[in-house]
Amino acid sequence: MINRGYYGEFGGAFIPEVLISTFDDLVDAFEKAKSDPAFWQEYMHTMSTYSCRPTPLTFAKNLTRHFGGARFYIKREDLNHTGAHKVNNVMGQGLLVKRMGKTRVIAETGAGQHGVATATMAARFGFRCTVYMGEVDVARQRPNVFWMERLGAEVVPIREGTGILKDAINEAFRDWVTNMDDTHYVLGTACGPHPFPEMVSYFQSIIGKEAREQILEREGRLPSRVYACVGGGSNALGIFSGFLDDPVELVGVEAGGEGLDTGRHASRLASKDGSVGVAQGYKTYFLQTGDGQMKKTHSVAAGLDYVGVSPILASHRETGRIRFEAATDSEVLNAMSLTIRKEGLIPALESAHAFAQAFKEAPGLSEDDIILINQSGRGDKDIFTIADAFADPGWQAFIRKKGYDYGA
Ligand SMILES: *Cc1c(COP(=O)(O)O)cnc(C)c1O
C-alpha cells in the first residue's frame, strides 16, 4: 500500500489499518473502471446530458484588445451544473460508487461547493448523503447549507478543533472507518491518500482534453501559457493534463491573501512558507509550524485556503514542469472587476486568481501568443462573499436588514 501512488517523494497512503481493505477495494474498482471503455463512455454521456459538457471555450475579445498583445481564451467550467468544475469529479465518483454497489456517500466541505455538488450527485443517483462541515464554515456558508439540506443531505457541523475544513476531513474519515461496508468517501480535490489524487485528476482531465481540442480547432496552434487557480489542485490538474507533454507553459496560481511577506496567505508552493510533511493520509507541502501544527490560512476565496496541496502538483513543482505564483486579494478583486466589465463574465473569486496572474504577465507577451485561463467556477452564486469583498455598502445594509450574518 505504502509504495503505491507516489509522485516523486510525494503522495502515498498513510491510512489506519482498518481502512486498508476499503482502499484496496477502491483502487481495484477504479483500475477496472479505467480500463473499461464503457465506463468513460457512461461518464461522458452523464456529463453531456446532465452538466453541459463539453463546456465552451470563449475568446475574450475585449480583454485581448485591452492588454494589446496576447489572445485571451477562457475555458468555461463555470457553466457546469452546480456552477463549478467540482461536478466533474463528483459525478465520476458517483458512477464508481454505483459499480461498487454502495448506497451511502459522505463528504467534507469547506466553502460548501463540494458539499452541494456531492448532495446533488447523491440526489440524482439515490444515495444517502452526509456532509461534514466545520461549524465556522456552516455559519459562513449558510446558502450552501440550505441547498445541501434541500437536496436531502444531512449536514453535520463539526465543533472539534478550529471548526474548519481540516476538522471536517478528520470527522469524515472517522465516519468512514465505522461505515466502510455501505459508504464511500467522496473526496473533493486531488489530495488525500492514494488513489484519490489520481482518481480526482482522472475525472478532471476532461477539462484539458476538451480545451486542447477546442483551441487547436479555433487557432490551429497551442496556447503559450495556461493559467489555473490552485486550492487542492483539481481544476489546475484537470486543464494542465491536456498540455503536459506539449511545449506550453503551465502556471498554477495560489492565494496570496494579504501578501506573501505578511504570513496571511494560503500559498504552499509559491511562497517559502510551505514545508514537506505527512498529514491527512498523504505527503505533500503543508502550511505548518515547526512541530507540525497546521497554520491558519487566509484568502478572499474560501475554496483556496486549504493547508495542503495535491502531491501531483508538489511533484511538478520539484521538476519545474509547472510554475507556481500567488495573486493577492486586492489583485484578485481588480481582475474580477475588469473581467466583469470587459467581458460580462463573472468568475468565482477562486478563478479570478488565474485571471489576475494572467493580467500581470500579459503585457510581456506578443500578438503571436495565446493565453488560456480556466474559469473554474461562476461568481454570481457567491454573492454574499463577493459583495462583502467589494465592500458594497448598499448590499451590506440590505443583508443586515434581513438579519443575515454573512460572517465577514
Ligand atoms: C473548490 C474550488 C476551487 C479550488 O479547488 P481545486 O481543487 O484547487 O480546483 C477553485 N475554483 C472553484 C470555483 C472552486 O469551487
Side-chain angles (χ1 to χ4, degrees):
M1 195 73 212
I2 283 302
N3 289 325
R4 284 204 295 219
Y6 272 91
Y7 307 90
E9 65 165 304
F10 306 104
F14 300 82
I15 51 177
E17 194 77 28
V18 288
L19 275 176
I20 287 181
S21 69
T22 303
F23 269 81
D24 284 346
D25 292 347
L26 180 60
V27 169
D28 206 42
F30 174 55
E31 292 299 330
K32 282 207 182 91
K34 243 189 353 180
S35 57
D36 177 3
F39 181 76
W40 187 260
Q41 272 165 23
E42 187 186 7
Y43 175 63
M44 290 297 291
H45 178 76
T46 304
M47 297 313 289
S48 62
T49 54
Y50 191 64
S51 187
C52 186
R53 297 223 76 92
T55 58
L57 184 71
T58 301
F59 175 54
K61 185 175 67 174
N62 300 326
L63 285 175
T64 298
R65 193 179 304 134
H66 180 80
F67 286 100
R71 297 167 68 73
F72 279 79
Y73 277 91
I74 318 293
K75 180 63 171 162
R76 302 292 307 283
E77 290 305 297
D78 58 307
L79 293 178
N80 274 298
H81 183 39
T82 71
H85 69 291
K86 291 208 165 63
V87 73
N88 301 332
N89 164 46
V90 155
M91 296 306 284
Q93 288 198 46
L95 291 172
L96 207 57
V97 173
K98 279 212 303 191
R99 285 199 156 204
M100 292 189 291
K102 295 191 172 185
T103 54
R104 177 172 176 263
V105 291
I106 57 174
E108 85 294 343
T109 195
Q113 276 111 318
H114 175 56
V116 171
T118 303
T120 302
M121 177 274 279
R124 174 79 176 173
F125 289 153
F127 302 140
R128 284 176 299 135
C129 178
T130 302
V131 177
Y132 291 96
M133 193 168 184
E135 69 171 359
V136 174
D137 288 329
V138 169
R140 267 201 299 227
Q141 306 292 336
R142 196 70 194 82
N144 286 331
V145 175
F146 173 86
W147 281 122
M148 283 184 265
E149 290 178 345
R150 297 283 83 67
L151 287 159
E154 177 197 15
V155 179
V156 182
I158 304 304
R159 281 173 195 94
E160 277 75 37
T162 41
I164 58 171
L165 180 61
K166 67 177 169 57
D167 310 299
I169 294 177
N170 293 338
E171 203 53 37
F173 270 107
R174 230 165 277 155
D175 178 319
W176 207 13
V177 168
T178 34
N179 300 294
M180 292 172 289
D181 291 344
D182 67 348
T183 299
H184 173 71
Y185 178 10
V186 184
L187 220 135
T189 187
C191 291
H194 178 68
F196 283 109
E198 185 192 341
M199 194 164 73
V200 175
S201 39
Y202 175 73
F203 291 125
Q204 295 294 358
S205 71
I206 188 139
I207 306 173
K209 279 193 181 73
E210 287 176 7
R212 191 176 194 284
E213 269 176 34
Q214 289 167 321
I215 199 101
L216 283 175
E217 194 182 302
R218 300 271 284 278
E219 291 278 343
R221 61 204 167 108
L222 292 166
S224 320
R225 290 185 195 171
V226 183
Y227 295 86
C229 66
V230 177
S234 70
N235 86 88
L237 281 162
I239 194 155
F240 292 166
S241 71
F243 305 95
L244 274 173
D245 299 328
D246 299 315
V248 172
E249 223 182 313
L250 306 175
V251 187
V253 189
E254 295 182 307
E258 292 173 9
L260 293 189
D261 50 359
T262 65
R264 294 202 17 98
H265 63 78
S267 169
R268 301 125 306 175
L269 297 176
S271 79
K272 292 185 174 58
D273 297 346
S275 58
V276 178
V278 173
Q280 292 168 353
Y282 70 115
K283 183 175 179 184
T284 193
Y285 279 88
F286 289 97
L287 289 171
Q288 56 190 338
T289 59
D291 58 356
Q293 295 291 318
M294 293 303 149
K295 282 188 189 162
K296 209 166 137 42
T297 59
H298 170 80
S299 170
V300 70
L304 298 187
D305 65 0
Y306 178 50
V307 289
V309 68
S310 176
I312 307 178
L313 287 179
S315 140
H316 284 308
R317 176 204 194 234
E318 300 299 272
T319 63
R321 178 63 191 94
I322 299 175
R323 170 160 63 89
F324 291 92
E325 305 285 353
T328 64
D329 290 350
S330 68
E331 288 168 343
V332 165
L333 291 173
N334 287 336
M336 190 162 165
S337 297
L338 188 71
T339 307
I340 294 172
R341 292 297 283 270
K342 288 284 173 201
E343 298 290 349
L345 294 176
I346 309 179
L349 280 163
E350 289 82 1
S351 322
H353 284 68
F355 285 79
Q357 188 62 32
F359 294 171
K360 279 191 262 180
E361 298 182 11
L365 296 178
S366 81
E367 285 167 26
D368 296 330
D369 289 304
I370 296 169
I371 283 177
L372 171 61
I373 301 172
N374 197 31
Q375 185 167 339
S376 54
R378 55 179 236 246
D380 53 323
K381 76 194 160 75
D382 297 331
I383 185 162
F384 292 93
T385 32
I386 286 173
D388 193 38
F390 280 118
D392 180 320
W395 170 259
Q396 288 173 335
F398 168 76
I399 286 299
R400 287 213 184 83
K401 209 160 62 194
K402 296 269 176 201
Y404 178 71
D405 171 16
Y406 58 91

